[in-house]
Every structure is written in C-alpha cells, then in structure tokens.
Amino acid sequence: MKKRNINSTVFKSGFLVFSVLIVSMVMTACVTLQPASVTRNGQLSDYPYFVINSTETLTSGQGMTSNGIYSSINKTVNPKDVIAGYLIKKGLVVLPESQEGLLPQTLIVNYGESGRRNVGLGYTIEVTIQFISAFSNQVIFLTTAEGIGDTEADDIREAITRAMDALFEE
C-alpha cells in the first residue's frame, strides 16, 4: 500500500484555493464599471448637517471546498455606517435625528440597491443614494454608482464610495 504524503496534499489544496482566489481577483479587476452619476439641485456647502436613515447590515462571503476541506471568507457592511464615515471624514455633521432649528441646513440621506449587472464570472451591484432637504422634502442630490469586489459586501462598499466620491467632485 502506497503511503500518502499529507504535507503534499495540504500544499496542493492550499495552492488550489490560492489560485482560484487570484484568478477571481484578476477577472474582477478586468471589469469596467459604469461611470457614477450625480443629479444636483443645490450646493453641498449649504448643507453641513445630515440625518441618515437606518439600513440593515449585510453579511456575505465566498467559499470553496478542496479535498474535502471547506474554506470561506465572510464580510459585513452596513451602508449607513459607510455613508456616515464618508461624511464625517469630509468634516460634516451627522445628526441622530432632525433638529428644528437646523432643518434648512439638513439633508436626510436614503440608501438603496438599485440594480445588478452581469459581468465576466460575476456581477456588479448598483446603489443609489438620495439626499432630501429636511426643510422642503425636495430631492437636492441623487447619486448612483456600481461596485464589484470579492463579496457582495465589497460590492456595496465600493459602490457607495464611488457614489459619494462623484457627489463630492465639484
């Protein structure tokens, strides 16, 4: 009976997992994302305060089985946290709720997933972020972008960042 070298099997399965991840990343890197779009009905400088509506945390992952061993990577994202972090980093104020005296200078932020597009071996996720005047209830800004990554959480994080980058380009 031939003796099997366990170190060789572990190396081969690890190499296979690594190879598949590299190929996946290369295929993802070759995708051209649609340009982000922005509709402007005001000036950002007029709105230093933001209230962001709650969003659900998304957990996603990717995994594979090699030689009977399952490996996975799980990631989470909460769109509200990504948007809040972006605004805070820009020096703006994220309020927990609307405040009567600040309504004319406050925007309410809504987030939604607005589409998917099949590309290569995967898909992109498109998000739309809406900024509404807390005073007049009119849409002041609307920004849409798509993202792609290793997981849906990565897709959403990239799409939000691209949408916010487009909004803040002036």
Side-chain angles (χ1 to χ4, degrees), residues 2-163:
K2 189 174 181 182
K3 200 173 189 181
R4 194 171 180 184
N5 184 342
I6 292 178
N7 287 338
S8 174
T9 302
V10 169
F11 175 77
K12 287 179 185 174
S13 66
F15 182 74
L16 179 62
V17 169
F18 179 74
S19 298
V20 169
L21 287 174
I22 293 298
V23 168
S24 171
M25 285 189 271
V26 167
M27 291 299 290
T28 299
C30 295
V31 172
T32 300
L33 296 173
Q34 298 294 324
S37 66
V38 178
T39 301
R40 298 176 195 278
N41 297 315
Q43 298 295 319
L44 276 168
S45 59
D46 294 338
Y47 300 97
Y49 305 106
F50 296 83
V51 175
I52 306 170
N53 285 321
S54 294
T55 59
E56 295 292 321
T57 297
L58 169 77
T59 300
S60 64
Q62 67 178 23
M64 66 179 301
T65 302
S66 176
N67 293 332
I69 299 171
Y70 181 76
S71 301
S72 68
I73 299 170
N74 290 316
K75 297 181 180 179
T76 62
V77 65
N78 186 317
K80 177 182 178 179
D81 293 341
V82 177
I83 295 166
Y86 193 102
L87 293 171
I88 291 166
K89 188 174 180 179
K90 291 288 187 182
L92 301 167
V93 178
V94 176
L95 302 171
E97 60 187 36
S98 297
Q99 295 179 12
E100 189 66 36
L102 301 177
L103 290 180
Q105 298 173 290
T106 302
L107 293 176
I108 298 170
V109 183
N110 295 311
Y111 159 87
E113 291 182 30
S114 51
R116 288 179 187 242
R117 183 171 63 95
N118 291 326
V119 291
L121 299 175
Y123 56 88
T124 66
I125 294 179
E126 179 187 80
V127 303
T128 299
I129 306 169
Q130 179 185 60
F131 296 81
I132 300 172
S133 167
F135 184 70
S136 68
N137 292 322
Q138 298 296 311
V139 175
I140 306 300
F141 305 107
L142 187 71
T143 182
T144 300
E146 62 182 10
I148 189 168
D150 294 333
T151 65
E152 284 191 1
D154 293 333
D155 298 352
I156 290 168
R157 186 178 305 278
E158 180 180 11
I160 291 170
T161 301
R162 290 184 70 238

